Amino acid sequence: MELNRRHPWELTPVEAVALQRELRTEIIADRPINLSAVHLVAGVDVSVKHERSRAAVVIVTYPGFLVVEIATAERPTPFPYIPGLLSFREGPVLEEAFEKLKAEPDVFLFDGMGTAHPRRIGIASHMGLWLQRPTIGVGKTRLCGTNAPLAEEKGAHVPLVDRGETIGAVVRTRTATHPLFISPGHLADIPSAVDLVMGCSPKFRLPEPIRLAHNAAGAF
DNA sequence: GCGACAG
DNA sequence: ATCTTGTCGC
């Protein structure tokens, strides 16, 4: 699909942080996603094998989770893993995979953070600017922020707060399992992000689209 | 200075 | 993320 707000990826860590500070002003993280209008959801994931990175984008129907399209891309890993700069490591391969996409998903689910990031621009927010479509960050572990104790039951969720600001939610998608760190990427808000993630997690801890993308990216 | 730190 | 066997629990 069409990619907007492109910019070069070849940056030093210091330049990358400066770019994040510029881009963060363009992110919209207070707009609800109309769930009743969501029919196609994309799961996005990247696996790294030595010096090579492989991206997979799996589009499924919602609800139902029937696979509609799978796009993959592979290329050299261009940037080291630095907490807070994940998009500069995974962005290049994702760009290539997104360009191959024929269908246009109503929302994208990312393996990583959205606004639940030190500078409020995790990979879901960053790529959301490129895609100009609703995106949601689904993290398996915490990058920043704190939260109150969370009930063990599926569906339980509490605010994720950083420096006095609510940046997302800690959500239990399955009873008695580690929670997920959900945050809006771009063109979404916290409540609807939580609702959609719960709606995409009928059985397992990870949302169905992300599980499928994880499998597609992991099979080198 | 010290601890934390998505994937 | 990746390296890896068995094992606890529904």
Side-chain angles (χ1 to χ4, degrees):
Chain A
M1 56 186 285
E2 220 170 287
L3 260 33
N4 300 295
R5 197 59 178 88
R6 289 167 172 281
H7 63 68
W9 289 112
E10 310 75 50
L11 303 174
T12 64
V14 171
E15 295 173 327
V17 169
L19 177 59
Q20 288 184 321
R21 293 191 189 292
E22 283 178 40
L23 297 178
R24 62 181 293 180
T25 65
E26 299 176 33
I27 295 167
I28 296 173
D30 59 1
R31 180 179 301 182
I33 292 176
N34 180 359
L35 290 241
S36 55
V38 173
H39 299 134
L40 290 180
V41 178
V44 181
D45 191 37
V46 174
S47 69
V48 180
K49 270 280 208 267
H50 301 303
E51 302 294 283
R52 305 283 295 175
S53 287
R54 179 173 210 186
V57 181
V58 178
I59 301 177
V60 300
T61 58
Y62 179 86
F65 314 116
L66 298 178
V67 178
V68 169
E69 182 181 353
I70 297 180
T72 61
E74 195 180 321
R75 58 163 53 197
T77 304
F79 200 83
Y81 169 66
I82 299 175
L85 297 179
L86 183 64
S87 55
F88 295 89
R89 178 179 172 80
E90 305 191 341
V93 231
L94 288 178
E95 171 183 0
E96 195 175 319
F98 289 147
E99 289 174 327
K100 297 179 179 175
L101 244 39
K102 172 63 180 171
E104 301 208 330
D106 298 300
V107 53
F108 288 78
L109 263 37
F110 284 78
D111 204 326
M113 304 305 185
T115 57
H117 176 284
R119 290 172 293 283
R120 311 294 183 255
I121 179 167
I123 191 167
S125 301
H126 194 156
M127 298 317 294
L129 291 178
W130 280 59
L131 296 163
Q132 285 300 305
R133 255 194 174 46
T135 59
I136 293 172
V138 180
K140 296 183 290 297
T141 60
R142 173 197 320 275
L143 174 58
C144 65
T146 59
N147 63 275
L150 181 65
E152 291 294 317
E153 295 67 42
K154 173 177 182 174
H157 57 86
V158 296
L160 177 60
V161 180
D162 185 45
R163 292 177 299 173
E165 182 183 353
T166 297
I167 57 177
V170 182
V171 184
R172 194 86 71 183
T173 50
R174 183 171 178 169
T175 299
T177 64
H178 290 318
L180 255 28
F181 296 80
I182 307 303
S183 57
H186 182 47
L187 302 176
D189 71 353
I190 297 175
S192 58
V194 171
D195 286 347
L196 184 64
V197 167
M198 284 309 301
C200 285
S201 311
K203 185 174 173 57
F204 303 106
R205 177 167 87 119
L206 291 179
E208 218 53 37
I210 289 185
R211 293 183 63 243
L212 294 167
H214 196 297
N215 294 338
F220 264 82

